[in-house]
mmCIF file of all heavy atoms in Angstrom:
data_model
loop_
_atom_site.group_PDB
_atom_site.id
_atom_site.type_symbol
_atom_site.label_atom_id
_atom_site.label_comp_id
_atom_site.label_asym_id
_atom_site.label_seq_id
_atom_site.Cartn_x
_atom_site.Cartn_y
_atom_site.Cartn_z
ATOM 1 N N GLU A 1 0.847 -1.233 -0.005
ATOM 2 C CA GLU A 1 0.060 -0.025 -0.034
ATOM 3 C C GLU A 1 0.881 1.257 -0.004
ATOM 4 O O GLU A 1 0.586 2.264 -0.728
ATOM 5 C CB GLU A 1 -0.869 0.062 1.227
ATOM 6 C CG GLU A 1 -2.021 -1.008 1.110
ATOM 7 C CD GLU A 1 -2.810 -1.095 2.336
ATOM 8 O OE1 GLU A 1 -2.556 -0.413 3.322
ATOM 9 O OE2 GLU A 1 -3.786 -1.994 2.415
ATOM 10 N N GLU A 2 1.843 1.287 0.790
ATOM 11 C CA GLU A 2 2.797 2.401 0.871
ATOM 12 C C GLU A 2 3.487 2.584 -0.496
ATOM 13 O O GLU A 2 3.765 3.736 -0.848
ATOM 14 C CB GLU A 2 3.858 2.211 1.943
ATOM 15 C CG GLU A 2 3.194 2.366 3.402
ATOM 16 C CD GLU A 2 4.224 2.152 4.522
ATOM 17 O OE1 GLU A 2 5.486 1.891 4.139
ATOM 18 O OE2 GLU A 2 3.867 2.166 5.659
ATOM 19 N N LEU A 3 3.904 1.464 -1.080
ATOM 20 C CA LEU A 3 4.531 1.531 -2.391
ATOM 21 C C LEU A 3 3.544 2.018 -3.414
ATOM 22 O O LEU A 3 3.968 2.865 -4.287
ATOM 23 C CB LEU A 3 4.907 0.017 -2.760
ATOM 24 C CG LEU A 3 5.901 -0.025 -4.017
ATOM 25 C CD1 LEU A 3 7.130 0.730 -3.760
ATOM 26 C CD2 LEU A 3 6.092 -1.502 -4.332
ATOM 27 N N PHE A 4 2.275 1.711 -3.310
ATOM 28 C CA PHE A 4 1.322 2.244 -4.298
ATOM 29 C C PHE A 4 1.145 3.801 -4.139
ATOM 30 O O PHE A 4 1.124 4.501 -5.080
ATOM 31 C CB PHE A 4 -0.027 1.525 -4.091
ATOM 32 C CG PHE A 4 -1.144 2.104 -4.935
ATOM 33 C CD1 PHE A 4 -1.223 1.708 -6.210
ATOM 34 C CD2 PHE A 4 -2.165 2.937 -4.429
ATOM 35 C CE1 PHE A 4 -2.212 2.204 -7.108
ATOM 36 C CE2 PHE A 4 -3.076 3.471 -5.260
ATOM 37 C CZ PHE A 4 -3.220 3.094 -6.585
ATOM 38 N N VAL A 5 1.016 4.255 -2.898
ATOM 39 C CA VAL A 5 0.993 5.656 -2.610
ATOM 40 C C VAL A 5 2.235 6.358 -3.183
ATOM 41 O O VAL A 5 2.118 7.450 -3.811
ATOM 42 C CB VAL A 5 0.822 5.894 -1.112
ATOM 43 C CG1 VAL A 5 0.979 7.413 -0.768
ATOM 44 C CG2 VAL A 5 -0.514 5.390 -0.607
ATOM 45 N N ALA A 6 3.389 5.796 -2.855
ATOM 46 C CA ALA A 6 4.627 6.398 -3.404
ATOM 47 C C ALA A 6 4.661 6.501 -4.932
ATOM 48 O O ALA A 6 5.093 7.505 -5.538
ATOM 49 C CB ALA A 6 5.854 5.723 -2.952
ATOM 50 N N GLU A 7 4.105 5.424 -5.577
ATOM 51 C CA GLU A 7 4.001 5.437 -7.031
ATOM 52 C C GLU A 7 3.104 6.530 -7.552
ATOM 53 O O GLU A 7 3.427 7.282 -8.519
ATOM 54 C CB GLU A 7 3.532 4.078 -7.491
ATOM 55 C CG GLU A 7 3.447 3.942 -9.070
ATOM 56 C CD GLU A 7 2.818 2.620 -9.429
ATOM 57 O OE1 GLU A 7 2.290 1.900 -8.601
ATOM 58 O OE2 GLU A 7 2.910 2.337 -10.658
ATOM 59 N N GLU A 8 1.969 6.763 -6.863
ATOM 60 C CA GLU A 8 1.046 7.908 -7.224
ATOM 61 C C GLU A 8 1.821 9.184 -7.126
ATOM 62 O O GLU A 8 1.546 10.042 -7.945
ATOM 63 C CB GLU A 8 -0.227 7.745 -6.382
ATOM 64 C CG GLU A 8 -1.077 6.568 -6.671
ATOM 65 C CD GLU A 8 -1.537 6.552 -8.151
ATOM 66 O OE1 GLU A 8 -1.899 7.632 -8.637
ATOM 67 O OE2 GLU A 8 -1.649 5.479 -8.707
ATOM 68 N N GLU A 9 2.422 9.396 -5.994
ATOM 69 C CA GLU A 9 3.207 10.655 -5.799
ATOM 70 C C GLU A 9 4.165 10.949 -6.833
ATOM 71 O O GLU A 9 4.351 12.037 -7.454
ATOM 72 C CB GLU A 9 3.773 10.666 -4.454
ATOM 73 C CG GLU A 9 2.808 10.711 -3.240
ATOM 74 C CD GLU A 9 3.481 10.727 -1.869
ATOM 75 O OE1 GLU A 9 4.768 10.616 -1.860
ATOM 76 O OE2 GLU A 9 2.762 10.949 -0.901
ATOM 77 N N ILE A 10 4.836 9.875 -7.279
ATOM 78 C CA ILE A 10 5.944 10.014 -8.334
ATOM 79 C C ILE A 10 5.265 10.315 -9.640
ATOM 80 O O ILE A 10 5.749 11.139 -10.401
ATOM 81 C CB ILE A 10 6.763 8.735 -8.406
ATOM 82 C CG1 ILE A 10 7.603 8.563 -7.086
ATOM 83 C CG2 ILE A 10 7.633 8.663 -9.610
ATOM 84 C CD1 ILE A 10 8.371 7.255 -7.024
ATOM 85 N N LYS A 11 4.110 9.704 -9.861
ATOM 86 C CA LYS A 11 3.393 10.098 -11.164
ATOM 87 C C LYS A 11 3.035 11.509 -11.145
ATOM 88 O O LYS A 11 3.139 12.216 -12.202
ATOM 89 C CB LYS A 11 2.170 9.267 -11.272
ATOM 90 C CG LYS A 11 2.484 7.707 -11.711
ATOM 91 C CD LYS A 11 1.197 6.910 -11.847
ATOM 92 C CE LYS A 11 1.497 5.488 -12.191
ATOM 93 N NZ LYS A 11 0.242 4.691 -12.319
ATOM 94 N N ALA A 12 2.465 12.023 -10.012
ATOM 95 C CA ALA A 12 2.049 13.450 -9.912
ATOM 96 C C ALA A 12 3.264 14.334 -10.111
ATOM 97 O O ALA A 12 3.221 15.385 -10.807
ATOM 98 C CB ALA A 12 1.386 13.662 -8.615
ATOM 99 N N GLN A 13 4.438 13.890 -9.530
ATOM 100 C CA GLN A 13 5.701 14.684 -9.599
ATOM 101 C C GLN A 13 6.064 14.803 -10.997
ATOM 102 O O GLN A 13 6.588 15.796 -11.573
ATOM 103 C CB GLN A 13 6.702 14.262 -8.664
ATOM 104 C CG GLN A 13 7.968 15.052 -8.571
ATOM 105 C CD GLN A 13 7.711 16.354 -7.870
ATOM 106 O OE1 GLN A 13 6.743 16.486 -7.074
ATOM 107 N NE2 GLN A 13 8.399 17.379 -8.169
ATOM 108 N N ASN A 14 5.981 13.536 -11.752
ATOM 109 C CA ASN A 14 6.392 13.474 -13.133
ATOM 110 C C ASN A 14 5.568 14.416 -13.997
ATOM 111 O O ASN A 14 6.049 15.129 -14.865
ATOM 112 C CB ASN A 14 6.240 12.066 -13.630
ATOM 113 C CG ASN A 14 7.482 11.236 -13.230
ATOM 114 O OD1 ASN A 14 8.545 11.715 -13.072
ATOM 115 N ND2 ASN A 14 7.258 9.910 -13.124
ATOM 116 N N GLU A 15 4.233 14.500 -13.703
ATOM 117 C CA GLU A 15 3.375 15.402 -14.484
ATOM 118 C C GLU A 15 3.772 16.882 -14.226
ATOM 119 O O GLU A 15 3.825 17.623 -15.188
ATOM 120 C CB GLU A 15 1.924 15.219 -14.052
ATOM 121 C CG GLU A 15 1.339 13.906 -14.468
ATOM 122 C CD GLU A 15 -0.070 13.709 -13.984
ATOM 123 O OE1 GLU A 15 -0.591 14.518 -13.375
ATOM 124 O OE2 GLU A 15 -0.666 12.609 -14.352
ATOM 125 N N GLU A 16 4.042 17.232 -13.025
ATOM 126 C CA GLU A 16 4.532 18.567 -12.688
ATOM 127 C C GLU A 16 5.834 18.957 -13.419
ATOM 128 O O GLU A 16 6.001 20.000 -13.922
ATOM 129 C CB GLU A 16 4.677 18.782 -11.196
ATOM 130 C CG GLU A 16 3.430 18.790 -10.402
ATOM 131 C CD GLU A 16 3.581 18.958 -8.923
ATOM 132 O OE1 GLU A 16 4.845 19.162 -8.490
ATOM 133 O OE2 GLU A 16 2.621 18.866 -8.072
ATOM 134 N N LEU A 17 6.740 17.944 -13.306
ATOM 135 C CA LEU A 17 8.060 18.200 -14.095
ATOM 136 C C LEU A 17 7.847 18.341 -15.568
ATOM 137 O O LEU A 17 8.499 19.065 -16.214
ATOM 138 C CB LEU A 17 8.925 17.003 -13.815
ATOM 139 C CG LEU A 17 9.575 16.928 -12.378
ATOM 140 C CD1 LEU A 17 10.372 15.689 -12.195
ATOM 141 C CD2 LEU A 17 10.477 18.135 -12.107
ATOM 142 N N ALA A 18 6.933 17.515 -16.148
ATOM 143 C CA ALA A 18 6.586 17.686 -17.564
ATOM 144 C C ALA A 18 6.074 19.079 -17.880
ATOM 145 O O ALA A 18 6.452 19.692 -18.896
ATOM 146 C CB ALA A 18 5.643 16.579 -18.054
ATOM 147 N N ILE A 19 5.144 19.562 -16.983
ATOM 148 C CA ILE A 19 4.628 20.941 -17.326
ATOM 149 C C ILE A 19 5.729 21.948 -17.145
ATOM 150 O O ILE A 19 5.856 22.890 -17.920
ATOM 151 C CB ILE A 19 3.441 21.169 -16.246
ATOM 152 C CG1 ILE A 19 2.264 20.320 -16.501
ATOM 153 C CG2 ILE A 19 3.092 22.686 -16.318
ATOM 154 C CD1 ILE A 19 1.242 20.339 -15.416
ATOM 155 N N ALA A 20 6.583 21.843 -16.094
ATOM 156 C CA ALA A 20 7.593 22.754 -15.870
ATOM 157 C C ALA A 20 8.545 22.710 -17.062
ATOM 158 O O ALA A 20 9.137 23.696 -17.523
ATOM 159 C CB ALA A 20 8.365 22.426 -14.635
ATOM 160 N N HIS A 21 8.885 21.568 -17.610
ATOM 161 C CA HIS A 21 9.709 21.445 -18.701
ATOM 162 C C HIS A 21 9.164 22.106 -20.064
ATOM 163 O O HIS A 21 9.902 22.838 -20.696
ATOM 164 C CB HIS A 21 9.878 19.952 -19.040
ATOM 165 C CG HIS A 21 10.838 19.664 -20.184
ATOM 166 N ND1 HIS A 21 10.459 19.587 -21.502
ATOM 167 C CD2 HIS A 21 12.250 19.527 -20.316
ATOM 168 C CE1 HIS A 21 11.398 19.321 -22.362
ATOM 169 N NE2 HIS A 21 12.529 19.384 -21.644
ATOM 170 N N ASP A 22 7.867 22.007 -20.151
ATOM 171 C CA ASP A 22 7.208 22.682 -21.240
ATOM 172 C C ASP A 22 7.323 24.187 -21.158
ATOM 173 O O ASP A 22 7.537 24.946 -22.051
ATOM 174 C CB ASP A 22 5.769 22.295 -21.418
ATOM 175 C CG ASP A 22 5.630 20.801 -21.835
ATOM 176 O OD1 ASP A 22 6.545 20.239 -22.439
ATOM 177 O OD2 ASP A 22 4.540 20.280 -21.649
ATOM 178 N N GLN A 23 7.105 24.692 -19.844
ATOM 179 C CA GLN A 23 7.238 26.073 -19.650
ATOM 180 C C GLN A 23 8.665 26.610 -19.845
ATOM 181 O O GLN A 23 8.796 27.700 -20.452
ATOM 182 C CB GLN A 23 6.797 26.357 -18.180
ATOM 183 C CG GLN A 23 5.323 26.230 -17.954
ATOM 184 C CD GLN A 23 5.002 26.374 -16.429
ATOM 185 O OE1 GLN A 23 5.805 26.425 -15.603
ATOM 186 N NE2 GLN A 23 3.619 26.506 -16.108
ATOM 187 N N ILE A 24 9.629 25.860 -19.438
ATOM 188 C CA ILE A 24 11.002 26.247 -19.613
ATOM 189 C C ILE A 24 11.232 26.273 -21.121
ATOM 190 O O ILE A 24 11.998 27.150 -21.571
ATOM 191 C CB ILE A 24 11.917 25.260 -18.944
ATOM 192 C CG1 ILE A 24 11.813 25.390 -17.351
ATOM 193 C CG2 ILE A 24 13.417 25.577 -19.236
ATOM 194 C CD1 ILE A 24 12.488 24.388 -16.592
ATOM 195 N N ALA A 25 10.780 25.306 -21.845
ATOM 196 C CA ALA A 25 11.046 25.201 -23.302
ATOM 197 C C ALA A 25 10.414 26.473 -24.015
ATOM 198 O O ALA A 25 10.899 27.077 -24.865
ATOM 199 C CB ALA A 25 10.443 23.953 -23.846
ATOM 200 N N ALA A 26 9.142 26.851 -23.534
ATOM 201 C CA ALA A 26 8.523 28.050 -24.125
ATOM 202 C C ALA A 26 9.195 29.248 -23.836
ATOM 203 O O ALA A 26 9.423 30.153 -24.668
ATOM 204 C CB ALA A 26 7.035 28.138 -23.545
ATOM 205 N N GLU A 27 9.749 29.364 -22.561
ATOM 206 C CA GLU A 27 10.506 30.585 -22.110
ATOM 207 C C GLU A 27 11.752 30.674 -22.986
ATOM 208 O O GLU A 27 12.217 31.759 -23.393
ATOM 209 C CB GLU A 27 10.733 30.573 -20.696
ATOM 210 C CG GLU A 27 9.596 30.813 -19.715
ATOM 211 C CD GLU A 27 9.126 32.314 -19.980
ATOM 212 O OE1 GLU A 27 9.949 33.175 -20.158
ATOM 213 O OE2 GLU A 27 7.925 32.500 -19.998
ATOM 214 N N ARG A 28 12.423 29.509 -23.116
ATOM 215 C CA ARG A 28 13.693 29.491 -23.915
ATOM 216 C C ARG A 28 13.464 29.933 -25.289
ATOM 217 O O ARG A 28 14.254 30.674 -25.975
ATOM 218 C CB ARG A 28 14.310 28.091 -23.900
ATOM 219 C CG ARG A 28 15.575 27.921 -24.608
ATOM 220 C CD ARG A 28 16.212 26.578 -24.472
ATOM 221 N NE ARG A 28 16.648 26.326 -23.113
ATOM 222 C CZ ARG A 28 16.100 25.438 -22.347
ATOM 223 N NH1 ARG A 28 15.089 24.747 -22.771
ATOM 224 N NH2 ARG A 28 16.522 25.196 -21.131
ATOM 225 N N GLN A 29 12.286 29.406 -25.884
ATOM 226 C CA GLN A 29 11.924 29.839 -27.314
ATOM 227 C C GLN A 29 11.613 31.288 -27.403
ATOM 228 O O GLN A 29 12.122 31.980 -28.300
ATOM 229 C CB GLN A 29 10.760 29.057 -27.796
ATOM 230 C CG GLN A 29 10.259 29.319 -29.159
ATOM 231 C CD GLN A 29 11.298 28.926 -30.220
ATOM 232 O OE1 GLN A 29 12.092 28.048 -30.056
ATOM 233 N NE2 GLN A 29 11.273 29.681 -31.403
ATOM 234 N N ARG A 30 10.965 31.817 -26.372
ATOM 235 C CA ARG A 30 10.679 33.228 -26.320
ATOM 236 C C ARG A 30 11.883 34.060 -26.270
ATOM 237 O O ARG A 30 12.160 35.064 -26.912
ATOM 238 C CB ARG A 30 9.755 33.590 -25.126
ATOM 239 C CG ARG A 30 9.368 35.051 -25.040
ATOM 240 C CD ARG A 30 8.289 35.222 -23.950
ATOM 241 N NE ARG A 30 8.014 36.591 -23.655
ATOM 242 C CZ ARG A 30 8.691 37.300 -22.799
ATOM 243 N NH1 ARG A 30 9.665 36.811 -22.105
ATOM 244 N NH2 ARG A 30 8.401 38.614 -22.637
ATOM 245 N N TYR A 31 12.876 33.695 -25.344
ATOM 246 C CA TYR A 31 14.108 34.322 -25.193
ATOM 247 C C TYR A 31 14.930 34.294 -26.541
ATOM 248 O O TYR A 31 15.509 35.271 -26.880
ATOM 249 C CB TYR A 31 14.945 33.678 -24.121
ATOM 250 C CG TYR A 31 16.401 33.988 -24.076
ATOM 251 C CD1 TYR A 31 16.844 35.300 -23.623
ATOM 252 C CD2 TYR A 31 17.339 33.168 -24.604
ATOM 253 C CE1 TYR A 31 18.184 35.598 -23.697
ATOM 254 C CE2 TYR A 31 18.668 33.512 -24.656
ATOM 255 C CZ TYR A 31 19.070 34.713 -24.288
ATOM 256 O OH TYR A 31 20.411 35.040 -24.297
#
């Protein structure tokens, strides 16, 4: 169960990192 919770947290963190990556790419393109 703890492993499942940790997996869900990692997925959410991955999604946040993907969004941040897209934002950084957009800012880099704008720059």
Side-chain angles (χ1 to χ4, degrees):
E1 289 175 359
E2 292 179 1
L3 189 63
F4 177 76
V5 172
E7 182 184 11
E8 292 298 320
E9 291 179 354
I10 290 173
K11 287 181 179 179
Q13 188 70 24
N14 278 335
E15 291 177 359
E16 292 180 4
L17 287 174
I19 294 172
H21 181 272
D22 292 340
Q23 291 175 344
I24 292 172
E27 287 296 321
R28 183 179 291 112
Q29 179 64 26
R30 180 172 173 271
Y31 163 77

